[in-house]
Amino acid sequence: MRGQRPIAHHWTRYEWSYVYIFVCPCTGESYFLILPSVSIALMTLALEEFMQDINPKDDRVIVLMLDNAAWHSSKKVVLPKNLILLPLPPYTPQLSPAETIVPLVREVVANRIFADLDALEDILCDRCAFLMQNPELVRGRAGFSWLDD
């Protein structure tokens, strides 16, 4: 007779925050938004905020590479003027410059316990501000040689 794992009741009590990462791999300039979830509506909001900050005069065309997550690629996402989305091939997160920045964000929260979501978000805000002020660090991670051509 085979053994059986004991039944244990548990209650997973997690709260989540999501860091939306935008990065220019050639310069290391970065932009972060911390939002409560991922959704089509919040992706639309993130794109609007991003474009207002980096292209307030609407005088440049911005090409944004991103993966094929449902909230990225939905036709319901409203694109700001002068923004073009360039989807990466499926199952290739290693090609995303933003993906290489995730460890830089995570390293300040790894193996830590936070009293509440506000405490976590305070640390994340500080880290994102640091990364935005240190583009050479970001460029060192996101600066793929194949993007410079």
Side-chain angles (χ1 to χ4, degrees):
M1 184 170 160
R2 271 182 106 175
Q4 182 178 4
R5 291 182 184 217
I7 297 172
H9 298 284
H10 68 281
W11 178 30
T12 306
R13 294 171 284 197
Y14 296 114
E15 294 181 273
W16 300 93
S17 272
Y18 295 83
V19 179
Y20 287 61
I21 302 172
F22 300 86
V23 61
C24 178
C26 297
T27 65
E29 291 177 83
S30 56
Y31 184 80
F32 300 86
L33 288 169
I34 299 172
L35 297 172
S37 68
V38 290
S39 68
I40 293 168
L42 287 175
M43 185 64 184
T44 297
L45 173 72
L47 294 174
E48 287 173 11
E49 292 291 322
F50 169 69
M51 287 298 284
Q52 285 175 6
D53 192 61
I54 67 146
N55 192 21
K57 296 179 186 174
D58 283 333
D59 58 347
R60 298 182 291 166
V61 173
I62 306 298
V63 178
L64 184 64
M65 290 190 332
L66 65 172
D67 63 25
N68 291 298
W71 59 90
H72 294 165
S73 57
S74 171
K75 299 210 183 296
K76 294 179 182 177
V77 172
V78 179
L79 296 179
K81 179 182 170 190
N82 293 337
L83 178 66
I84 298 170
L85 300 183
L86 179 64
L88 290 168
Y91 310 107
T92 57
Q94 69 277 12
L95 297 179
S96 171
E99 197 67 33
T100 62
I101 305 308
V102 172
L104 292 175
V105 175
R106 283 187 178 162
E107 69 186 8
V108 296
V109 298
N111 299 319
R112 292 181 62 184
I113 297 173
F114 297 92
D116 55 27
L117 203 53
D118 289 337
L120 169 65
E121 289 176 355
D122 287 345
I123 298 293
L124 287 173
C125 284
D126 290 345
R127 183 58 173 183
C128 292
F130 171 80
L131 292 172
M132 288 170 58
Q133 294 165 359
N134 291 279
E136 67 284 347
L137 175 63
V138 173
R139 186 180 188 285
R141 286 290 182 100
F144 298 137
S145 61
W146 57 270
L147 287 172
D148 292 336
D149 297 337

